Amino acid sequence: MPKLPKISPPKPPLPPSMQPPPKKAGSKNPPLKPHEQAIEGGTHAIGWIDERTSLSGAARWMMFRKVPKGTNWFYTLGSATMFAFLSQAVTGVFLAMYYNPSVTQAYESVRYINNEAFLGEFVHGMHKWGSSVMVILVFVHMARTFFFGAYKYPRELNWVIGVALLILTMAMSFTGYLLPFDQRSYWATIVGVNINGTGPLVGPYLNDFLRAGPFFNATTLSRFYAIHMMLVPGIIAALIGAHLYLVAKLGTTAPPWMKAEEDEQLREESA
Ligand code: HEM
């Protein structure tokens, strides 16, 4: 019997953004290597998204900014704080996969993370030490902005957002401390909550809110957990967005010694 020719189904046409560039007459392009194909595919995908969203304009506005003369390492402290926050968020997601916020299971789940889960002790260690790193960085960053006079007009609002970020960072440390649910974390949290209660006007209400009632009870731990892993990080992420928007819009402050040099020059010019 004669062999029938193989018929393959017609290929659907590629969208314009995926079309290969037109070939010059007589030229032969060598076939792309796999990694070149991957890069080209990625570029096309980014181009496809950008054509529909124009996000590259916003990214350029945010990333390509002029910075004042004399900008130095002290200006990296804000970004360092942000990366500490991101590291906390990523390690926190992995811890949440194993942690159980119940009064009978919490301690056991942390023991499991530390002793049995794959890389559990490492991830838990990163989260625990990372929290101290973030607190230190946020204070040093605040000191930098204070000593460089960056809180003055027109950046007062960014300072106020920064104060909210500072309080929320402390709230993260405070609510996270209870979660291992060992003797130390339990009694330290009772002390902390009692200190809150001595605050004027809102103190006692804040206490009842944190404890989920007039006394520590079974719901207190899950309340701390919800505040620690959803409420506060969500607000922090939103405020960092606003903080960075203002940094991009207003630019950063020049170091004070640069201003002094400028003034000196002006004085010489006017003399
Ligand atoms: C989660 C905490 C925070 C993050 C992630 C963060 C992030 C940043 C970043 C990336 C910058 C631009 C680069 C730089 O100047 O370092 C910045 C600038 C600034 N931040 Fe923060 N920040 C935080 C907390 C604070 C706090 C606690 C304050 C003060 C109370 C503050 C006040 C400011 C001010 C005033 C600027 C403008 C600096 C200038 O114009 O030179 N920030 N922040």
Side-chain angles (χ1 to χ4, degrees):
M1 201 173 113
K3 263 194 175 177
L4 291 170
K6 261 192 179 174
I7 301 168
S8 47
K11 283 185 185 163
L14 286 171
S17 63
M18 303 275 286
Q19 296 280 353
K23 275 184 188 174
K24 280 183 203 156
S27 76
K28 258 191 180 177
N29 286 341
L32 291 178
K33 292 183 183 129
H35 74 274
E36 287 169 339
Q37 277 180 9
I39 292 171
E40 195 157 295
T43 317
H44 275 306
I46 291 171
W48 189 90
I49 294 172
D50 194 38
E51 214 176 307
R52 283 149 188 86
T53 59
S54 306
L55 274 177
S56 66
R60 224 172 291 129
W61 177 77
M62 193 81 192
M63 311 291 282
F64 296 97
R65 287 175 284 118
K66 285 193 174 153
V67 292
K69 237 182 179 180
T71 298
N72 56 31
W73 281 97
F74 290 116
Y75 288 76
T76 59
L77 290 164
S79 309
T81 315
M82 190 171 68
F83 279 102
F85 173 69
L86 290 178
S87 163
Q88 291 303 94
V90 172
T91 50
V93 166
F94 286 105
L95 292 177
M97 289 177 187
Y98 295 96
Y99 180 72
N100 185 345
S102 108
V103 281
T104 52
Q105 295 299 310
Y107 182 81
E108 169 54 26
S109 63
V110 175
R111 191 206 59 77
Y112 179 85
I113 290 171
N114 285 339
N115 298 337
E116 283 164 60
F118 176 64
L119 290 181
E121 195 178 9
F122 175 68
V123 175
H124 186 198
M126 272 185 78
H127 197 75
K128 184 180 160 182
W129 291 103
S131 67
S132 304
V133 169
M134 185 173 167
V135 171
I136 293 167
L137 283 173
V138 81
F139 272 105
V140 186
H141 168 62
M142 183 173 70
R144 197 288 284 169
T145 53
F146 177 75
F147 287 116
F148 282 36
Y151 55 87
K152 294 180 197 165
Y153 176 84
R155 299 185 182 81
E156 304 95 321
L157 183 60
N158 223 11
W159 176 265
V160 172
I161 293 175
V163 171
L165 282 168
L166 178 75
I167 295 168
L168 290 169
T169 307
M170 309 291 275
M172 286 300 281
S173 296
F174 180 60
T175 50
Y177 204 81
L178 178 67
L179 303 184
F181 219 56
D182 51 19
Q183 288 290 328
R184 188 172 52 173
S185 69
Y186 178 78
W187 292 107
T189 305
I190 288 193
V191 172
V193 169
N194 287 343
I195 293 173
N196 268 328
T198 60
L201 299 173
V202 287
Y205 297 104
L206 189 62
N207 247 1
D208 284 355
F209 169 72
L210 286 172
R211 280 184 309 226
F215 306 106
F216 258 71
N217 61 76
T219 346
T220 312
L221 181 61
S222 45
R223 180 160 294 202
F224 266 62
Y225 185 50
I227 295 172
H228 182 76
M229 74 166 269
M230 285 188 282
L231 182 66
V232 181
I235 304 175
I236 290 185
L239 287 182
I240 288 181
H243 201 60
L244 292 186
Y245 167 75
L246 287 180
V247 168
K249 187 165 169 50
L250 303 171
T252 42
T253 318
W257 54 86
M258 296 303 293
K259 283 180 191 158
E261 271 174 26
E262 246 176 40
D263 288 351
E264 197 63 44
Q265 212 179 334
L266 276 177
R267 233 172 281 136
E268 275 168 22
E269 275 169 17
S270 57

